[in-house]
Amino acid sequence: MKLVPVLLIFAAGLCAQDRDFLTADEVDQVRQAQDPNDRLKLYLGFAKMRVALVEQLVSREKPGRSALIHDTLEDYQHIIEAIDTVTDDALKRKLLVQEGVTAVAAAEKEMVASLKKVQDAQPKDISRYQFALGQAVSTTEDSLELSTEDLGKRSTEVAAKDAKEKQEREASMSEGELADKKQADKKAAESKRKAPSLLKPGEKLPEPR
């Protein structure tokens, strides 16, 4: 099957959904991809498909295309934002994401170049999706900057941001809420430190001879 029919089928699916930025099938794929590197590559595939769809729609003047281009660009922007969120979350948990981030950087260079070509071409109906297109370009450039940044530095920045947000949340809590939170954090830490046991309740290890 050629690319054009595939994209047209995909576009019909986008129109049918209630403005979620991923299709139901894509959501299922993301749920199954537990490894952050796999999840990043999945999101990249979704983003590339949106860019290809925009290019296809722009190349053919058809009634109603501007609305679909606009929505596709918005969905694309959300996907790029999701890529950054997945990466930052993995760095918070000290997971290795070099493989995925390298793939992200390479793909985003190509995608931002494709989107800028659409801008430069100035299609007749661009005024109807110009803002969405500009946001898509800007979001991709920001994400590309993050993706090419040293991961050690980014990890430090993510940790600092997380600590600041935690401090701000705690500052807005009442004394009772703060006490409850500290107690819950303490229990979670103790549970994490406690080694798992295969012994049944009440069962003890035999005394050493």
Side-chain angles (χ1 to χ4, degrees):
M1 186 179 285
K2 294 182 179 179
L3 180 61
V4 173
V6 170
L7 289 176
L8 290 177
I9 293 170
F10 177 70
L14 288 178
C15 290
Q17 64 177 328
D18 296 327
R19 295 305 302 125
D20 290 328
F21 71 92
L22 295 179
T23 65
D25 179 61
E26 288 171 341
V27 170
D28 287 340
Q29 291 181 58
V30 169
R31 284 175 181 158
Q32 292 172 22
Q34 294 300 311
D35 181 82
N37 292 291
D38 293 339
R39 188 166 285 192
L40 287 173
K41 290 174 185 177
L42 260 183
Y43 275 124
L44 279 180
F46 304 154
K48 287 177 181 178
M49 189 172 288
R50 266 62 173 193
V51 172
L53 178 56
V54 169
E55 291 175 321
Q56 180 60 40
L57 290 168
V58 167
S59 69
R60 297 184 175 188
E61 291 189 25
K62 287 187 175 182
R65 75 170 189 178
S66 57
L68 184 52
I69 292 173
H70 177 276
D71 290 350
T72 302
L73 287 168
E74 283 196 339
D75 292 347
Y76 166 84
Q77 182 184 341
H78 289 313
I79 292 170
I80 297 299
E81 291 169 346
I83 285 173
D84 293 340
T85 299
V86 169
T87 305
D88 287 348
D89 181 64
L91 292 175
K92 277 184 197 175
R93 295 186 287 144
K94 303 187 185 305
L95 300 176
L96 298 177
V97 285
Q98 183 65 61
E99 181 185 346
V101 172
T102 299
V104 168
E108 287 182 335
K109 285 178 184 177
E110 296 177 0
M111 292 189 293
V112 76
S114 298
L115 293 173
K116 285 183 175 180
K117 281 184 181 178
V118 175
Q119 280 184 322
D120 295 341
Q122 288 291 298
K124 292 180 181 179
D125 56 350
I126 193 171
S127 62
R128 299 180 183 178
Y129 50 84
Q130 190 163 16
F131 179 76
L133 179 56
Q135 289 293 100
V137 169
S138 177
T139 300
T140 310
E141 288 177 332
D142 289 345
S143 180
L144 177 57
E145 186 176 345
L146 287 174
S147 300
T148 53
E149 186 178 19
D150 176 75
L151 281 181
K153 179 184 176 184
R154 185 170 177 180
S155 295
T156 301
E157 291 171 347
V158 167
K161 181 181 177 183
D162 190 47
K164 182 181 178 182
E165 290 176 349
K166 181 180 178 182
Q167 187 177 27
E168 290 174 349
R169 285 195 301 270
E170 290 181 352
S172 65
M173 291 180 178
S174 66
E175 290 185 8
E177 289 173 330
L178 191 57
D180 289 343
K181 182 181 181 303
K182 287 182 178 179
Q183 187 65 25
D185 290 345
K186 183 180 178 182
K187 286 182 179 179
E190 290 174 349
S191 176
K192 192 174 182 181
R193 286 196 299 268
K194 195 178 294 182
S197 174
L198 297 177
L199 298 176
K200 296 177 181 178
E203 188 178 6
K204 295 182 180 180
L205 289 171
E207 293 291 332
R209 294 179 181 178

